Amino acid sequence: MDFEEKMTDLSDMLEKDYFELYPGRNDALKRLYNLMKRHHSSRSDALKSRDKSGSDWLYSPDTIGIMLYVDLFSNNLNKLIEHSGYFKELGITLIHLMPILRPRTGENDGGYAVQDYRSIDSRIGTMKDFKKMLEHYHANGIRICIDYVVNHTADDHDWAIKALSGDEKYQKYYFMFENDTIPKQFETSLHEVFPKVAPGNFTYLEDLGKWVMTTFYPFQWDLNFRNPDVFYEMVDNLLYLTDIGVDMIRLDAIPYIWKTMGTDCKNQPEVHLLLGLFRKIIEICAPQTTLLGEAIVEPDTIVKYFGKNERLECHSLYNASYMVEIWNSIATRDARHISWMKEYDIPATSIWINYARCHDDIGWGLDGERLRRMGFDPHAHKSFLIDFYLGSLEDSFSSGELYEFNPLTMDARNSGTLASLAGLEKAIKLSDDYLLELALKRIRLIHALFLFRKGIPMLYSGDEIGQLNNLSYLDDGHKKNDSRWLHRMAFDWEQVAGIHSMDSVHSKVFKSVKQLIETRRTYIGHAAILDENIVRQSNDQLFVIRQTTVENESILLIFNMSEDRQWLYTNELKRYGFGGVWREVIQGKTIDLDKKRIVLGPYEFFVTKL
Ligand code: OTU
């Protein structure tokens, strides 16, 4: 379908949703349509030809992602070009570049305080460099994802500066108040995202004598999407980015983009209307670009951001619930947590991003009801996980830090690299070979847990070489209060240089991760996974999944979440129709499901095909 056909196809829905948000604003809708037409007519032919296959690329079983900070990985965009060979060797086909748009001067929340949505952060290059880099990666079959921070701008964005100078038009782009009466009313039902470093949700602007809503840091001003001009401008910026040829846009902090007094201003119904509009506009104007939603909220709430077939929202979402269950099961060695996760039906054109670590902390968003049914006290269990990954429990293998510890509620999240949280750091410190071996197995298992599931695996750069926590952020005034910098550090190219010759732990991790990716691509990868279910069986330390590919092949994944030997009783698989001789594709073993039981060693896992 071309632009006109898509427009005809989607405009009824688009108008319906638009007028629900902006009743009676025919004028504003007309302006929006003109904007869309303008973008379409200036869109390059090369992109229009990419548009023909739409978002198909996203669902290709080959799509494997990594996220990285350009400055930390390669200093700048030009040098990033030189490293495409590294990604090809690893088997990466999608790179999420952490915030690259021009951030605020000074402290900027790792780039999530954007001053200009149409310029590149000058520390890493120019728009010209970005386009060159994009072209290079596209020519190498690698797609690029960038961040679009929709909830807020930096306090030195042009709109904010105009608002500060007294321009009422731009004051209406934000939530500004003459005094603290309304902010106080809002606060009664609001939570705090950064209770320690940025308490409260409003900031007093001395120069202006007004209050402004700042859900995150005080220098991140919340945009007011109740104003159709804001929606218009943010669509304009979005289409600007899609017209450069960016393949995926990560929409930051989406649960927060609509505020209603008396609520917690999260996950409001209007957010879904806004996202539905973004999706339709993308489908019409830039169908090759996909939306990745970042909604790190309760499991049942995250999944809603895919939308429904009749009103689709994000193409993909972070599977934060699964991420949390990975760490939960690794700490408890109890696979029931992960096995009893709710399985969701999602629209056919939706896809989860599976991952274990990212640039943020791990927030323990567990399903409290389920924990209670399992006999755990959710509060006590969360405290256990916090202490476990801090490493303060005596038998914890983990090294991490607390993030946003709240002394009033004793609540916290955890920071740390995958390898350090999985025990590598402690093992090295103690020079304990046995612990080292276990840590390496754990790192491998964690990667396998998200690499082989249905969806797009997303690595966090540095984890593939087992980088450890880095304390140098404590010396930087702009970073020292934000422990997420513990796991945001320069990529260790020295380790990579020796990866093939040396026998270091880092080279072991690299080879191990690379082999898993290769397996996914070669043995599993050629046929997309159509169906996936968790297999119920009686060994509480085992996590078993069955998958069916589009070619109707069966895959059985069996993970031992503990460092003890475990047995799987094959008669329990019979009710799923499993029997016969299977081939384990990583180790090349044969697995006979007609035998009474099969044994798995410490943290061992099988990826088996009939
Ligand atoms: C996101 O995270 C980014 O990933 C963070 O790096 C930013 O600091 C933040 O937005 C502000 O731009 O609260 O602890 O439900 O959980 O958006 C991280 C979504 C966050 C929020 C998430 C936010």
Side-chain angles (χ1 to χ4, degrees), residues 109 112 152 193 250 252-253 294 296 359-361 413 484:
D109 186 22
Y112 284 103
H152 44 263
V193 184
R250 175 189 181 275
D252 183 57
E294 193 240 2
I296 313 302
H359 69 296
D360 279 334
D361 50 289
R413 284 118 80 173
R484 290 176 298 177

Side-chain angles (χ1 to χ4, degrees), residues 500-531:
H500 299 287
S501 54
M502 293 190 320
D503 212 21
S504 71
V505 284
H506 302 289
S507 102
K508 282 185 184 148
V509 172
F510 180 81
K511 284 174 194 156
S512 166
V513 172
K514 191 179 155 210
Q515 186 209 13
L516 296 181
I517 295 177
E518 236 162 54
T519 309
R520 184 190 146 113
R521 288 167 70 89
T522 48
Y523 293 94
I524 312 295
H526 50 260
I529 295 157
L530 195 65
D531 269 330

Side-chain angles (χ1 to χ4, degrees), residues 540-553:
D540 289 346
Q541 275 64 51
L542 296 180
F543 178 40
V544 185
I545 299 170
R546 77 157 160 184
Q547 298 173 327
T548 319
T549 69
V550 279
E551 284 162 12
N552 211 18
E553 291 171 307

Side-chain angles (χ1 to χ4, degrees), residues 67 69 96 98-99 108-113 147 149-152 193-194 215-217 220 250-256 266-267 294-298 302 305 318 358-363 403-404 413 482 484 488:
M67 53 191 291
Y69 287 92
H96 169 202
M98 295 299 292
N108 59 36
D109 186 22
Y112 284 103
D147 280 271
V149 186
V150 272
N151 179 66
H152 44 263
V193 184
F194 300 145
T215 301
F216 294 86
Y217 278 101
Q220 291 164 317
R250 175 189 181 275
L251 296 173
D252 183 57
I254 46 174
Y256 296 89
K266 258 172 105 172
N267 312 306
E294 193 240 2
I296 313 302
V297 287
E298 304 72 31
I302 297 183
Y305 287 98
Y318 290 101
C358 71
H359 69 296
D360 279 334
D361 50 289
I362 304 175
Y403 177 66
E404 286 295 319
R413 284 118 80 173
D482 192 331
R484 290 176 298 177
R488 300 174 182 171

Side-chain angles (χ1 to χ4, degrees), residues 206-398:
E206 297 247 347
D207 293 347
L208 197 63
K210 287 192 178 187
W211 290 81
V212 67
M213 190 173 211
T214 53
T215 301
F216 294 86
Y217 278 101
F219 52 78
Q220 291 164 317
W221 293 11
D222 289 76
L223 282 166
N224 182 2
F225 277 93
R226 287 173 177 267
N227 178 349
D229 291 346
V230 169
F231 181 71
Y232 177 91
E233 301 253 26
M234 290 305 277
V235 168
D236 196 9
N237 286 329
L238 176 67
L239 294 180
Y240 172 84
L241 299 173
T242 60
D243 286 348
I244 296 170
V246 172
D247 305 285
M248 182 183 249
I249 304 254
R250 175 189 181 275
L251 296 173
D252 183 57
I254 46 174
Y256 296 89
I257 62 180
W258 191 273
K259 277 87 176 170
T260 300
M261 166 126 42
T263 72
D264 61 359
C265 297
K266 258 172 105 172
N267 312 306
Q268 296 302 302
E270 291 86 352
V271 171
H272 294 284
L273 291 173
L274 281 172
L275 291 169
L277 286 173
F278 281 147
R279 173 71 176 261
K280 283 187 270 288
I281 292 168
I282 288 274
E283 299 269 5
I284 296 168
C285 298
Q288 77 110 16
T289 303
T290 57
L291 298 175
L292 160 57
E294 193 240 2
I296 313 302
V297 287
E298 304 72 31
D300 286 347
T301 313
I302 297 183
V303 66
K304 293 196 178 126
Y305 287 98
F306 282 126
K308 301 200 182 83
N309 277 321
E310 58 281 9
R311 187 197 286 119
L312 294 169
E313 297 177 30
C314 300
H315 296 80
S316 55
L317 290 171
Y318 290 101
N319 199 348
S321 319
Y322 183 61
M323 179 274 291
V324 164
E325 293 301 346
I326 291 179
W327 292 105
N328 186 11
S329 296
I330 291 284
T332 55
R333 284 83 159 173
D334 181 343
R336 288 177 304 164
H337 295 276
I338 203 163
S339 304
W340 294 356
M341 269 187 82
K342 239 190 242 173
E343 291 173 78
Y344 295 99
D345 265 336
I346 61 173
T349 52
S350 308
I351 191 156
W352 287 110
I353 300 277
N354 294 316
Y355 68 113
R357 286 301 291 120
C358 71
H359 69 296
D360 279 334
D361 50 289
I362 304 175
W364 300 107
L366 295 159
D367 179 343
E369 253 319 293
R370 199 196 60 221
L371 280 177
R372 237 171 262 125
R373 279 201 308 274
M374 287 172 69
F376 289 87
D377 173 76
H379 186 77
H381 187 64
K382 191 174 178 183
S383 305
F384 158 76
L385 290 170
I386 292 169
D387 293 343
F388 188 92
Y389 285 110
L390 170 65
S392 65
L393 292 181
E394 210 195 320
D395 66 348
S396 164
F397 48 72
S398 193

